[in-house]
Amino acid sequence: MAQLAGKVALVTGGAKSIGRTFAQGLAQAGANIVIADIAEGETTAKEIATGFGVAAIFVKCDVSDETQVRQLIAAAIAKFGRIDILVNNAAYFAAMPLHPAHELPVELWDKVMAVNVRGSFLTAKHAAPHMMKAKSGKIINISSGTAYKGMPDMAAYVASKAAVLGLTRTLAREFGPHGINVNTLAPGLIESESLLENPRHLAPTERILASRAIARKGLPRDLVGGLLFLASPASDFMTGQTLAIDGGSINT
Ligand SMILES: NC(=O)c1ccc[n+]([C@@H]2O[C@H](COP(=O)([O-])OP(=O)(O)OC[C@H]3O[C@@H](n4cnc5c(N)ncnc54)[C@H](O)[C@@H]3O)[C@@H](O)[C@H]2O)c1
């Protein structure tokens, strides 16, 4: 299973919820871990280091702030000398208030875009030169099935996750000649720790379950196999693509 032994994976929004499951999955496959989050992540980093026998650090970072992202990448390079895998998982999502578009405050729109789109751009912008030097790298952007299907009361979020698809395709073309793969993982509704704390996001669960070919709840661990595929040499000839993990919802 240790197909990522010696690699360094940076997971944004990795302190808790789906991001923590991603960091654990990458560590279980042998990667050393950098967790970046606005939430406290020291405990997660320590648990990962102890639990999986890898090196793991936490860097407090707001991914929408370029200065902080520069510091994040510098801290990762100072500790490990390389970044092999970047998982752009941080998002303004579970804690985000829900509004119909005609009542959506423009400040909320801007914040969602700043974290979800600018944040993914900034981490890629500052990690890519190090991947280019190494002539290899894997960037995995986390979008959402809502980008394909739409979701009432979430216009900014859905637009931000659709923007991530376009960002992926363009970065794939720009970075491909440098040996860097850029792909998107698009989960369907996942019963994450954060959504259980914000249950209004789970309100459409019954309707979403009915749309699935595999009509059961999705859990964070359902995403790990796809993530490891996109992070590993198994996906070396795949770039600019989207892997939807949603129980078959966007195909049915
Ligand atoms: N849970 C789902 O149903 C679902 C479905 C599709 C896509 N997703 C995506 O999966 C990812 C994880 O979702 P989740 O359910 O764990 O929700 P979440 O809201 O808890 O995850 C976001 C993580 O990002 C961190 N974060 C927020 N703002 C940040 C910032 N400015 N800088 C750095 N970190 C920041 C949060 O502290 C949290 O750890 C998100 O990208 C989300 O959009 C989730």
Side-chain angles (χ1 to χ4, degrees), residues 12-19 22 36-39 61-64 88-95 111 115-116 142-146 157 161 185-195 202 223:
T12 70
K16 58 187 168 108
S17 202
I18 291 175
F22 283 160
D37 208 307
I38 50 170
C61 175
D62 176 346
V63 294
S64 67
N88 276 319
N89 166 80
Y92 189 36
F93 172 48
K111 180 172 175 180
V115 178
N116 300 9
I142 308 304
S143 179
S144 163
T146 60
Y157 175 79
K161 291 296 180 178
L185 195 159
L189 183 70
I190 297 294
E191 202 171 87
S192 67
E193 176 191 343
S194 296
L195 287 199
L202 294 171
L223 306 175

Coordinates of all heavy atoms in Angstrom, one line a residue, residues 12-19 22 36-39 61-64 88-95 111 115-116 142-146 157 161 185-195 202 223, ligand 1:
T12 N -4.8 21.3 2.0 CA -5.4 22.5 2.5 C -6.7 22.1 3.2 O -7.4 21.2 2.7 CB -5.6 23.6 1.5 OG1 -6.6 23.2 0.6 CG2 -4.3 23.9 0.8
G13 N -7.1 22.8 4.2 CA -8.3 22.4 4.9 C -8.2 21.0 5.5 O -9.2 20.3 5.6
G14 N -7.0 20.6 5.9 CA -6.7 19.3 6.3 C -6.9 19.0 7.8 O -6.6 17.9 8.3
A15 N -7.3 20.0 8.6 CA -7.3 19.9 10.0 C -8.4 19.0 10.5 O -8.3 18.3 11.5 CB -7.5 21.3 10.7
K16 N -9.5 18.9 9.7 CA -10.7 18.1 10.2 C -11.5 17.7 9.0 O -11.2 18.0 7.8 CB -11.6 19.0 11.1 CG -12.1 20.3 10.4 CD -12.8 21.1 11.5 CE -13.1 22.5 11.0 NZ -14.4 22.9 10.6
S17 N -12.5 16.9 9.3 CA -13.5 16.5 8.3 C -12.9 15.8 7.1 O -12.0 15.0 7.3 CB -14.3 17.8 7.9 OG -15.6 17.4 7.3
I18 N -13.4 16.1 5.9 CA -12.9 15.3 4.7 C -11.4 15.5 4.5 O -10.6 14.6 4.1 CB -13.6 15.8 3.4 CG1 -15.1 15.3 3.5 CG2 -13.0 15.3 2.2 CD1 -16.0 15.8 2.4
G19 N -10.9 16.8 4.7 CA -9.4 17.1 4.6 C -8.6 16.2 5.5 O -7.5 15.7 5.1
F22 N -8.4 12.8 4.0 CA -7.5 12.8 2.9 C -6.0 12.7 3.4 O -5.2 11.9 2.9 CB -7.6 14.1 2.1 CG -8.8 14.2 1.1 CD1 -9.3 15.4 0.7 CD2 -9.4 13.0 0.7 CE1 -10.3 15.5 -0.2 CE2 -10.5 13.1 -0.2 CZ -11.0 14.3 -0.6
A36 N -2.6 22.5 6.1 CA -2.8 23.9 6.1 C -4.3 24.2 6.4 O -5.1 23.6 5.7 CB -2.4 24.6 4.8
D37 N -4.5 25.0 7.3 CA -6.0 25.3 7.7 C -6.0 26.6 8.5 O -5.1 27.0 9.1 CB -6.5 24.1 8.5 CG -8.0 23.9 8.3 OD1 -8.8 24.9 8.5 OD2 -8.5 22.8 7.9
I38 N -7.2 27.2 8.5 CA -7.4 28.3 9.4 C -7.9 27.7 10.8 O -7.8 28.4 11.8 CB -8.5 29.3 8.9 CG1 -9.8 28.6 8.5 CG2 -8.0 30.2 7.8 CD1 -11.0 29.5 8.2
A39 N -8.4 26.5 10.8 CA -8.7 25.8 12.0 C -7.5 25.2 12.6 O -6.5 25.0 11.9 CB -9.8 24.8 11.8
C61 N -2.9 28.8 8.0 CA -2.9 29.5 6.7 C -4.3 29.7 6.2 O -5.1 28.8 6.1 CB -2.1 28.7 5.6 SG -2.1 29.5 4.0
D62 N -4.6 31.0 5.9 CA -5.8 31.3 5.1 C -5.4 31.3 3.7 O -4.6 32.1 3.2 CB -6.2 32.7 5.6 CG -7.5 33.2 4.8 OD1 -7.8 32.6 3.8 OD2 -8.1 34.2 5.2
V63 N -6.0 30.3 2.9 CA -5.5 30.1 1.5 C -5.9 31.3 0.6 O -5.5 31.4 -0.5 CB -6.0 28.8 1.0 CG1 -5.4 27.6 1.7 CG2 -7.5 28.7 1.0
S64 N -6.8 32.1 1.1 CA -7.2 33.3 0.2 C -6.2 34.4 0.3 O -6.4 35.4 -0.4 CB -8.6 33.8 0.6 OG -8.6 34.4 1.9
N88 N -6.1 20.6 -3.0 CA -6.8 21.9 -2.7 C -8.2 21.5 -2.2 O -9.2 21.6 -3.0 CB -6.9 22.7 -4.0 CG -5.6 23.6 -4.1 OD1 -5.1 24.1 -3.2 ND2 -5.1 23.7 -5.4
N89 N -8.3 21.2 -0.9 CA -9.5 20.8 -0.3 C -10.2 21.9 0.5 O -11.4 21.9 0.7 CB -9.2 19.6 0.6 CG -10.3 19.3 1.6 OD1 -11.3 18.6 1.2 ND2 -10.2 19.8 2.8
A90 N -9.4 22.9 0.9 CA -10.0 24.0 1.8 C -11.1 24.7 1.0 O -11.0 25.0 -0.2 CB -8.9 25.0 2.1
A91 N -12.2 25.0 1.7 CA -13.3 25.7 1.1 C -14.1 26.4 2.2 O -14.1 25.9 3.3 CB -14.2 24.7 0.4
Y92 N -14.8 27.4 1.8 CA -15.8 28.0 2.6 C -17.1 27.3 2.3 O -17.7 27.6 1.2 CB -15.9 29.5 2.4 CG -16.8 30.2 3.4 CD1 -16.9 29.8 4.8 CD2 -17.6 31.3 3.0 CE1 -17.7 30.4 5.7 CE2 -18.4 31.9 3.9 CZ -18.5 31.5 5.3 OH -19.3 32.1 6.2
F93 N -17.4 26.3 3.1 CA -18.5 25.4 2.7 C -19.5 25.2 3.9 O -20.6 25.8 3.9 CB -18.0 24.1 2.1 CG -19.0 23.0 1.9 CD1 -20.2 23.4 1.2 CD2 -18.8 21.7 2.3 CE1 -21.1 22.4 1.0 CE2 -19.8 20.8 2.1 CZ -20.9 21.1 1.4
A94 N -19.1 24.3 4.8 CA -20.0 23.8 5.8 C -20.5 25.0 6.7 O -21.7 25.0 7.0 CB -19.4 22.7 6.6
A95 N -19.7 25.9 7.0 CA -20.1 27.0 7.9 C -20.7 28.2 7.1 O -21.2 29.1 7.7 CB -18.8 27.6 8.6
K111 N -16.5 36.3 -0.5 CA -15.7 35.4 0.4 C -15.6 34.0 -0.1 O -14.5 33.4 0.0 CB -16.3 35.5 1.8 CG -15.6 34.6 2.8 CD -16.0 34.7 4.2 CE -15.2 33.6 5.0 NZ -15.5 33.6 6.4
V115 N -12.0 32.2 -1.0 CA -11.4 30.9 -0.4 C -11.4 29.8 -1.5 O -10.3 29.2 -1.7 CB -12.3 30.5 0.8 CG1 -11.7 29.2 1.4 CG2 -12.3 31.6 1.8
N116 N -12.5 29.6 -2.2 CA -12.6 28.4 -3.0 C -11.9 28.5 -4.3 O -11.4 27.5 -4.8 CB -14.1 28.1 -3.2 CG -14.9 27.8 -1.9 OD1 -14.4 28.1 -0.8 ND2 -16.1 27.4 -2.0
I142 N -10.4 20.0 -5.4 CA -11.7 19.4 -5.0 C -12.8 20.3 -5.4 O -13.0 21.5 -5.0 CB -11.7 19.2 -3.4 CG1 -10.5 18.4 -2.9 CG2 -13.0 18.5 -3.0 CD1 -10.3 17.1 -3.6
S143 N -13.6 19.8 -6.3 CA -14.8 20.5 -6.8 C -16.1 19.9 -6.1 O -16.0 19.5 -4.9 CB -14.9 20.4 -8.3 OG -16.1 21.0 -8.8
S144 N -17.1 19.7 -6.8 CA -18.4 19.2 -6.2 C -19.3 18.8 -7.3 O -19.4 19.5 -8.3 CB -19.0 20.3 -5.3 OG -20.3 20.0 -5.0
G145 N -20.1 17.8 -7.0 CA -21.2 17.4 -8.0 C -22.2 18.5 -8.2 O -22.8 18.6 -9.2
T146 N -22.2 19.5 -7.2 CA -23.2 20.6 -7.4 C -22.8 21.4 -8.6 O -23.7 22.1 -9.2 CB -23.2 21.5 -6.2 OG1 -21.9 22.0 -5.9 CG2 -23.7 20.7 -4.9
Y157 N -21.3 29.2 -4.0 CA -20.5 27.9 -3.8 C -20.5 27.1 -5.1 O -19.4 26.7 -5.5 CB -21.1 27.1 -2.7 CG -20.5 25.8 -2.5 CD1 -19.3 25.6 -1.8 CD2 -21.1 24.6 -3.0 CE1 -18.7 24.4 -1.6 CE2 -20.5 23.4 -2.8 CZ -19.3 23.3 -2.1 OH -18.7 22.0 -2.0
K161 N -17.2 26.2 -7.4 CA -16.8 24.8 -7.7 C -16.8 24.5 -9.2 O -16.0 23.7 -9.7 CB -17.7 23.8 -6.9 CG -17.5 23.9 -5.4 CD -16.1 23.4 -5.0 CE -15.8 23.4 -3.6 NZ -14.5 23.0 -3.2
L185 N -11.2 16.2 -8.3 CA -12.1 15.1 -7.7 C -13.4 15.9 -7.3 O -13.4 16.9 -6.6 CB -11.4 14.6 -6.4 CG -11.9 13.3 -5.8 CD1 -10.8 12.6 -5.0 CD2 -13.1 13.5 -5.0
A186 N -14.5 15.3 -7.8 CA -15.8 16.0 -7.5 C -16.7 15.0 -6.7 O -17.3 14.1 -7.2 CB -16.5 16.3 -8.9
P187 N -16.7 15.3 -5.4 CA -17.6 14.4 -4.6 C -19.0 14.8 -4.7 O -19.4 16.0 -4.9 CB -17.1 14.7 -3.1 CG -15.9 15.5 -3.2 CD -15.9 16.2 -4.6
G188 N -19.9 13.8 -4.5 CA -21.3 14.1 -4.3 C -21.5 14.4 -2.8 O -20.5 14.6 -2.1
L189 N -22.7 14.5 -2.4 CA -22.9 14.9 -1.0 C -22.3 13.8 -0.1 O -22.5 12.6 -0.3 CB -24.4 14.9 -0.7 CG -24.8 15.3 0.8 CD1 -24.5 16.8 1.0 CD2 -26.3 15.1 1.1
I190 N -21.4 14.2 0.8 CA -20.7 13.3 1.7 C -21.0 13.7 3.1 O -21.0 14.9 3.5 CB -19.2 13.5 1.5 CG1 -18.7 13.2 0.1 CG2 -18.4 12.7 2.5 CD1 -18.9 11.7 -0.3
E191 N -21.4 12.7 3.9 CA -21.8 13.0 5.3 C -20.5 13.2 6.1 O -20.0 12.4 6.8 CB -22.6 11.9 5.9 CG -23.4 12.4 7.1 CD -24.4 11.4 7.5 OE1 -24.0 10.5 8.4 OE2 -25.6 11.4 7.1
S192 N -19.9 14.4 6.0 CA -18.7 14.8 6.6 C -18.9 15.3 8.0 O -20.0 15.7 8.4 CB -17.9 15.8 5.8 OG -18.6 17.1 5.9
E193 N -17.9 15.2 8.8 CA -17.9 15.8 10.2 C -18.5 17.2 10.2 O -19.3 17.5 11.0 CB -16.5 15.7 10.7 CG -16.3 16.3 12.1 CD -14.7 16.5 12.4 OE1 -13.9 15.9 11.7 OE2 -14.4 17.2 13.3
S194 N -18.0 18.0 9.2 CA -18.5 19.4 9.2 C -19.9 19.5 8.9 O -20.6 20.4 9.4 CB -17.6 20.2 8.2 OG -16.3 20.2 8.6
L195 N -20.4 18.7 8.0 CA -21.9 18.8 7.6 C -22.7 18.3 8.8 O -23.8 18.8 9.0 CB -22.2 18.0 6.3 CG -21.7 18.6 5.1 CD1 -22.4 18.1 3.8 CD2 -21.8 20.2 5.1
L202 N -27.5 19.1 5.0 CA -27.9 17.7 4.7 C -29.4 17.6 4.4 O -29.9 16.5 4.1 CB -27.6 16.8 6.0 CG -26.1 16.7 6.2 CD1 -25.8 16.0 7.6 CD2 -25.4 15.9 5.2
L223 N -14.0 8.6 -0.6 CA -13.2 9.5 -1.5 C -11.7 9.1 -1.6 O -11.0 9.6 -2.5 CB -13.3 10.9 -1.1 CG -14.8 11.5 -1.0 CD1 -14.7 12.9 -0.4 CD2 -15.5 11.4 -2.3
Ligands
LIG1 N1 -19.2 17.3 2.4 C1 -19.8 17.3 1.1 O1 -20.9 16.9 0.9 C2 -19.0 17.8 0.0 C3 -19.4 17.5 -1.3 C4 -18.7 18.0 -2.4 C5 -17.5 18.7 -2.2 N2 -17.1 18.9 -1.0 C6 -15.8 19.6 -0.8 O2 -15.0 18.8 0.0 C7 -14.1 19.7 0.8 C8 -14.2 19.4 2.2 O3 -15.6 19.5 2.7 P1 -16.1 19.3 4.2 O4 -17.4 18.7 4.1 O5 -15.0 18.6 5.0 O6 -16.3 20.8 4.7 P2 -15.5 21.9 5.5 O7 -16.3 23.1 5.3 O8 -15.3 21.5 6.9 O9 -14.1 21.8 4.9 C9 -13.3 22.8 4.7 C10 -12.0 22.8 5.5 O10 -11.3 24.0 5.0 C11 -11.0 24.8 6.1 N3 -11.0 26.2 5.6 C12 -12.1 27.0 5.5 N4 -11.7 28.3 5.0 C13 -10.3 28.2 4.9 C14 -9.3 29.2 4.5 N5 -9.7 30.4 4.2 N6 -8.0 28.8 4.5 C15 -7.7 27.5 4.9 N7 -8.6 26.6 5.2 C16 -9.9 26.9 5.3 C17 -12.0 24.5 7.2 O11 -11.4 24.9 8.4 C18 -12.1 23.0 7.0 O12 -11.1 22.3 7.7 C19 -14.5 21.1 0.4 O13 -13.7 21.6 -0.7 C20 -15.9 20.9 -0.1 O14 -16.3 22.0 -0.9 C21 -17.8 18.5 0.1

